[in-house]
Amino acid sequence: MKQRGPFLFLVALLMVTGLGTATFRHNAYRIPLLPGTQQTVWQVEARVEYFADGGSTQVLLTLPPEQTGFRSINESSASSGFGFELSTHGRQHRAHWTKRNATGEQVLYYKLELVQDEGYRVPAEEQDPAPSRAWDEPYLTAALQVLQAAIPESADEKSLAQQLTRQMNRARIDQNLSLLLEEYSEPELLFDLLNTAGASARAVQVLELEDGRRRQSLKEYVQVWQDGEWHLIDPARGLVADDRQLLLWQTTTPAVLEVLGGTNSGVTFSMISQSRSAAALTSERAPGYDISLYSLPIAEQGMFKLIMLLPVGALVVVLMRVLVGLKTSGTFMPVLIALAFLQTELVPGLVSFILVVSLGLTIRSYLSDLNLLLVARIATLVILVIGIITVFSVLSYQFGFNAGLTITFFPMIILAWTIERMSITWEEAGPREVLLQGGGSLLVATLAFLVMDQEITRHLAFNFPELHFCVLAVILLLGRYTGYRLLELHRFAVFKK
Amino acid sequence: MSREWVSPRVLKGRGILGMNQRNVDFISRYNPRERYPLVDDKLRTKLIAEKAKLNVPKLLHVVHTQHEIEEIQHELVKLKEFVIKPAQGSGGKGILVIVDQNEEGFTKSSGDVLVLNDIKRHLSNTLSGLHSLGGKPDVAIIETLVRVSPLFSHISYEGVPDIRLIVFRGYPVMGMLRLATHASDGKANLHQGAVGVGLDIGTGRAIAAVQNNKLVTTHPDTGGDLTDISVPDWPKLLNLAARCYEVTLLGYLGCDIVIDQDKGPLLLELNARPGLSIQIANDEGLLPRLRQIEQLEDYYVTVEDRVDFSMRTFSHYSVDQLELPYQADGQSQGGTIT
């Protein structure tokens, strides 16, 4: 116990640093300690990519209009060497990048921060109805027949739209509609039919907000005007009741992205949500903001939301192994499995994990007879695992069991190693040991998942990364723990007398 | 399996060493990492043991590469009986025991007869890592056959009984005789169902025998009595184990020793992370003995002094009942307790 003093000092120092910084940041920047009661801030990042031809170039990106439910608090653009300005045309804002000479691959970023605020209202403004489409035969007859059937069954514009989407999404589509759908896409057709029926409708582009998504694109929705406001219609599901997670991006006709002097252009969106207190929102640019996780690009912030959970999982593994004495197959394999569970949800995750590993073990027992070298064997297993996962995904999709698709979130190399190690354990120590280690791993993975899945854990781990100093301190302490493990109290029960 | 539990205070009171404490206080403190390969590879263990003149089953031949296997008959022709084992094997896997060789072929201990090609295939599998931990490529060792002492024949089942001694800083602290059983599939691992017989450090006599954490008095397969076991050549055996410390410089060491009917105690292998089950077989905790050794001031005593100290200190019998091999004047015993 020579170095006990310095060791304990280090542990105490880490503890104080972690807790102190967290307390300070909580007090100074009003970062909430608890999730939930706060306002949600969406950070949306649009990434424009294109290939410049070599001459002068201009990029116009349509930006979301002022709208009910979202208050814009901040916007910025990152694009080296480009001139940038925001232009407003009526209600529609646009970002305008310009450069005299650009060659090759260009990447432009536009970042927008929005507070999700139900109290924020923007008065709706009716548009002049778009000229209704001049239908060609035989589509005119088909469209009129569809409308003739639908109008008597509807009461107003909203219910007509609802009626039309329902008919379009039936398993057995009416002949007229299927003829029309061969020519027009669903949103386009819905919008045209509504206009032909005399309703005021418009096609809009919508961004579906979901925390941590990357490389998303805009979805086409339709809006119909009734009772002084626009009602949003999802061409696949009908009238949208809850539009809190839907950000209108573009409502007027110009294309979302226009590029002059370039080709192969495209725009994708990344987004994450953060919860910040209203006070923190006002002191947004508080000192220290620039060196915090919030300042990273949004796609990376999404990554860090996951990465920051890893130490928590590692702590669970250390606790289970050092204090309880559970055997696991591969030291930190359970944490990675738990991370996969975060994507798949617990029960589908457990089921698919057990299925893949037991199938893999069966096939691996055949590989044993082939006498392969280690590296070749693992490589074979990796391919096997990918094969199993592919078959599972396709089958479960065919049977309408979408949870099966999330199986792809399992780290495949880890699965291959797990199968390899378990198979060796089977040969060397028998099936009982395999069950013991496999069960131990799954138990630890489940516990780690349950801890990591808590809203409070996610919130603290991402918003107070300094708390990881405390996790580290606890892990260091456990590393010097010399007491009995829980399971040893059973193992040495013969000493009871 | 009994669903019993014991309170940590009771375990502490009985000086039971737990896994965490073994790792932190003993293995990581007394076993330098760089010396592990010495004991993890049986070939290296054997080579340094032979250099240090420790008794080991004689190394007859080593097969390093696949093409050497083609020529192996020239080596084997000289041998009547031999054992082939992987240098990094685990849990007794891949050990082939040949007890006789004649025109028909090679006779295994079970009585089956193998031809030369069977031996070659076994060697080839061993080299490709079939029997080694984690499937790593390996080398094959060919060594002399150990013949079970007739004293042990009534308690031997599928293999030679071996003696595990925990040697701490060169002092033998606890010993156990491990007997393979049918339940343990011929392996000497206690948690797989082998019988462990705790041995008195002073005399080499049995203290208690356990199988699956339960006391037993006879061998479950042979029916041999386990209570009257007395290991022959005990002081010589302790001496052999104690000398392993100087050879490996591993402070916390498990020595596996077998007794050959002609050559006496032979060192089979060494283990840098010996298990804790030995405490169950001895019905006693390791911790008080380890702490007692830690208290000793002078570690640079001779092997004989250390063995003498251990025999006196850790025996269940009083000193005048012991046959101490090295007691010359009573002055040079072990170290001094402070």
Side-chain angles (χ1 to χ4, degrees):
Chain A
M1 308 271 154
K2 272 171 277 174
Q3 297 145 352
R4 205 182 177 112
F7 174 71
L8 288 179
F9 176 73
L10 175 67
V11 169
L13 189 73
L14 285 172
M15 271 290 187
V16 170
T17 313
L19 288 176
T21 316
T23 318
F24 170 73
R25 289 190 47 219
H26 171 62
N27 289 335
Y29 304 133
R30 310 288 296 273
I31 301 172
L33 282 175
L34 295 173
T37 54
Q38 312 301 326
Q39 276 179 305
T40 307
V41 177
W42 287 98
Q43 290 195 16
V44 179
E45 187 178 80
R47 175 188 159 100
V48 176
E49 276 172 289
Y50 74 102
F51 198 85
D53 294 337
S56 73
T57 174
Q58 290 191 44
V59 175
L60 281 161
L61 175 72
T62 301
L63 301 179
E66 290 274 295
Q67 57 194 288
T68 298
F70 292 100
R71 186 155 43 88
S72 164
I73 50 170
N74 188 18
E75 58 188 338
S76 58
S77 132
S79 30
S80 60
F82 277 83
F84 175 75
E85 65 171 347
L86 292 166
S87 64
T88 305
H89 177 74
R91 286 209 152 193
Q92 197 78 57
H93 305 283
R94 299 174 98 184
H96 191 183
W97 284 276
T98 44
K99 193 174 183 180
R100 178 71 68 180
N101 264 308
T103 324
E105 183 80 27
Q106 307 291 325
V107 183
L108 309 171
Y109 290 98
Y110 170 79
K111 188 160 139 181
L112 178 66
E113 284 190 324
L114 296 159
V115 185
Q116 198 173 320
D117 182 356
E118 257 130 85
Y120 187 71
R121 303 236 145 238
V122 176
E125 181 182 315
E126 192 180 359
Q127 258 176 312
D128 297 332
S132 75
R133 175 183 290 279
W135 301 88
D136 291 329
E137 286 295 354
Y139 304 110
L140 177 63
T141 322
L144 290 177
Q145 279 185 11
V146 168
L147 285 175
Q148 263 167 26
I151 290 173
E153 288 172 29
S154 61
D156 48 17
E157 286 83 350
K158 247 163 55 174
S159 54
L160 177 63
Q162 182 78 329
Q163 188 69 22
L164 287 172
T165 37
R166 201 175 298 144
Q167 282 185 12
M168 273 189 235
N169 289 292
R170 271 201 198 135
R172 285 171 48 95
I173 296 182
D174 169 86
Q175 268 186 13
N176 290 315
L177 266 179
S178 68
L179 175 75
L180 289 165
L181 282 172
E182 273 169 33
E183 181 68 16
Y184 308 102
S185 71
E186 280 192 14
E188 195 185 0
L189 179 63
L190 181 61
F191 155 74
D192 284 338
L193 283 173
L194 285 169
N195 273 344
T196 307
S200 177
R202 63 180 181 183
V204 292
Q205 305 259 22
V206 165
L207 185 64
E208 294 170 347
L209 297 175
E210 198 179 335
D211 189 16
R213 301 310 296 264
R214 303 160 68 179
R215 304 201 157 255
Q216 300 297 298
S217 48
L218 296 175
K219 300 276 180 339
E220 275 195 73
Y221 279 55
V222 173
Q223 279 187 322
V224 59
W225 178 262
Q226 188 189 323
D227 306 331
E229 52 183 331
W230 289 104
H231 300 275
L232 199 58
I233 292 144
D234 179 348
R237 277 184 296 258
L239 206 60
V240 175
D242 178 9
D243 62 354
R244 278 177 300 176
Q245 310 268 51
L246 295 175
L247 177 68
L248 281 182
W249 196 275
Q250 187 244 20
T251 54
T252 48
T253 23
V256 172
L257 180 66
E258 280 176 62
V259 175
L260 303 174
T263 49
N264 274 338
S265 60
V267 56
T268 57
F269 300 86
S270 307
M271 65 216 96
I272 62 163
S273 78
Q274 300 167 335
S275 50
R276 273 183 263 164
S277 69
L281 289 174
T282 52
S283 63
E284 181 66 277
R285 290 286 164 192
Y289 173 86
D290 288 335
I291 51 159
S292 76
L293 282 176
Y294 304 127
S295 65
L296 289 177
I298 290 173
E300 275 67 31
Q301 284 195 37
M303 285 302 298
F304 266 101
K305 281 198 163 177
L306 269 188
I307 291 173
M308 285 297 166
L309 285 175
L310 271 176
V312 184
L315 175 67
V316 173
V317 170
V318 175
L319 280 173
M320 285 299 120
R321 286 180 63 117
V322 171
L323 292 189
V324 180
L326 280 178
K327 285 185 188 169
T328 61
S329 155
T331 315
F332 285 104
M333 173 272 241
V335 186
L336 296 172
I337 299 298
L339 271 189
F341 284 171
L342 285 179
Q343 318 275 349
T344 62
E345 287 308 305
L346 188 57
V347 177
L350 277 173
V351 171
S352 39
F353 179 80
I354 292 172
L355 276 174
V356 173
V357 170
S358 40
L359 225 118
L361 274 177
T362 319
I363 304 174
R364 165 68 173 73
S365 67
Y366 167 69
L367 287 185
S368 288
D369 298 338
L370 292 182
N371 261 338
L372 299 178
L373 290 175
L374 178 74
V375 185
R377 207 163 55 215
I378 305 278
T380 315
L381 278 176
V382 171
I383 296 171
L384 254 173
V385 167
I386 292 174
I388 297 174
I389 284 181
T390 313
V391 171
F392 272 2
S393 302
V394 172
L395 282 185
S396 58
Y397 185 71
Q398 286 300 322
F399 290 118
F401 185 62
N402 281 343
L405 289 178
T406 53
I407 198 172
T408 45
F409 285 109
F410 278 108
M412 293 172 209
I413 308 288
I414 301 289
L415 277 183
W417 268 106
T418 305
I419 292 169
E420 169 68 14
R421 221 170 343 212
M422 282 191 169
S423 145
I424 286 173
T425 316
W426 190 302
E427 284 166 17
E428 282 171 5
R432 214 193 122 214
E433 190 69 18
V434 172
L435 280 183
L436 219 66
Q437 290 192 9
S441 308
L442 282 186
L443 184 62
V444 174
T446 308
L447 284 172
F449 163 79
L450 289 176
V451 175
M452 283 159 37
D453 197 38
Q454 296 303 312
E455 200 53 46
I456 176 96
T457 317
R458 290 159 170 265
H459 172 80
L460 290 179
F462 181 70
N463 293 298
F464 293 95
E466 59 273 18
L467 285 180
H468 287 113
F469 284 125
C470 302
V471 173
L472 185 60
V474 174
I475 289 177
L476 286 181
L477 272 183
L478 284 171
R480 295 279 280 253
Y481 171 75
T482 59
Y484 298 110
R485 298 172 177 182
L486 184 64
L487 290 179
E488 280 177 342
L489 301 183
H490 173 65
R491 178 185 177 189
F492 292 123
V494 279
F495 289 103
K496 203 166 171 181
K497 312 152 280 193
Chain B
M1 234 192 185
S2 63
R3 289 270 125 230
E4 284 178 80
W5 296 84
V6 59
S7 92
R9 207 175 311 124
V10 173
L11 284 188
K12 198 159 190 174
R14 303 220 32 193
I16 305 300
L17 179 67
M19 193 69 85
N20 290 329
Q21 190 163 23
R22 182 200 74 172
N23 293 344
V24 172
D25 282 356
F26 296 98
I27 291 187
S28 69
R29 183 170 307 171
Y30 293 105
N31 289 354
R33 188 73 232 184
E34 72 274 10
R35 307 200 69 88
Y36 278 38
L38 222 54
V39 297
D40 289 342
D41 183 338
K42 282 177 204 146
L43 181 58
R44 290 189 64 180
T45 312
K46 197 180 269 294
L47 292 177
I48 55 159
E50 284 189 338
K51 242 186 232 168
K53 305 234 173 350
L54 299 181
N55 287 340
V56 290
K58 192 162 179 290
L59 181 62
L60 301 171
H61 192 65
V62 183
V63 185
H64 290 280
T65 58
Q66 295 281 356
H67 75 260
E68 288 173 53
I69 298 174
E70 294 309 314
E71 306 290 307
I72 197 70
Q73 57 266 36
H74 306 306
E75 296 293 332
L76 295 184
V77 74
K78 303 176 262 186
L79 311 171
K80 187 105 185 111
E81 46 181 39
F82 55 89
V83 177
I84 300 178
K85 50 167 78 168
Q88 299 177 57
S90 66
K93 271 196 359 168
I95 298 182
L96 182 65
V97 180
I98 298 298
V99 294
D100 192 24
Q101 184 184 176
N102 51 34
E103 308 81 58
E104 287 168 41
F106 303 87
T107 313
K108 285 210 294 184
S109 51
S110 59
D112 298 343
V113 179
L114 301 180
V115 295
L116 184 64
N117 268 340
D118 295 324
I119 306 271
K120 285 185 175 173
R121 181 162 351 101
H122 183 86
L123 284 169
S124 170
N125 283 343
T126 303
L127 292 196
S128 63
L130 191 66
H131 307 300
S132 52
L133 208 60
K136 282 180 292 187
D138 205 351
V139 300
I141 301 174
I142 303 180
E143 62 179 29
T144 54
L145 177 70
V146 174
R147 274 180 259 183
V148 186
S149 159
L151 287 167
F152 285 157
S153 55
H154 65 297
I155 48 168
S156 301
Y157 178 85
E158 289 186 3
V160 188
D162 78 337
I163 291 152
R164 156 65 59 89
L165 279 164
I166 303 280
V167 178
F168 181 48
R169 307 189 106 174
Y171 292 85
V173 287
M174 202 173 264
M176 132 173 107
L177 178 67
R178 297 187 298 185
L179 306 168
T181 63
H182 179 65
S184 76
D185 197 21
K187 294 181 180 128
N189 263 329
L190 246 56
H191 74 263
Q192 287 176 325
V195 170
V197 184
L199 297 174
D200 180 65
I201 285 289
T203 60
R205 285 185 214 144
I207 297 167
V210 292
Q211 184 186 24
N212 294 329
N213 284 352
K214 287 197 196 70
L215 283 177
V216 288
T217 53
T218 56
H219 192 283
D221 301 309
T222 67
D225 192 355
L226 297 174
T227 53
D228 70 343
I229 294 172
S230 180
V231 178
D233 283 336
W234 185 247
K236 216 173 143 190
L237 193 148
L238 291 184
N239 186 289
L240 176 63
R243 282 161 66 198
C244 293
Y245 174 56
E246 271 86 1
V247 176
T248 61
L249 291 181
L250 289 165
Y252 188 76
L253 190 64
C255 302
D256 294 347
I257 295 172
V258 287
I259 296 188
D260 185 87
Q261 71 172 50
D262 304 320
K263 286 172 238 151
L266 300 178
L267 178 68
L268 214 50
E269 57 181 278
L270 296 170
N271 194 325
R273 316 163 190 82
L276 302 170
S277 308
I278 196 169
Q279 302 178 101
I280 299 175
N282 276 272
D283 194 28
E284 195 169 339
L286 271 167
L287 211 47
R289 297 185 181 187
L290 298 175
R291 293 290 182 223
Q292 204 168 346
I293 304 283
E294 278 189 322
Q295 296 294 312
L296 295 178
E297 258 188 351
D298 183 8
Y299 304 113
Y300 301 98
V301 286
T302 64
V303 174
E304 287 75 19
D305 285 342
R306 296 198 306 254
V307 170
D308 187 71
F309 175 84
S310 288
M311 289 178 78
R312 284 165 190 275
T313 318
F314 301 137
S315 180
H316 285 210
Y317 299 87
S318 64
V319 174
D320 44 295
Q321 285 175 287
L322 300 176
E323 294 169 31
L324 295 169
Y326 309 116
Q327 53 178 8
D329 46 15
Q331 294 299 314
S332 62
Q333 315 153 358
T336 33
I337 297 175
T338 50

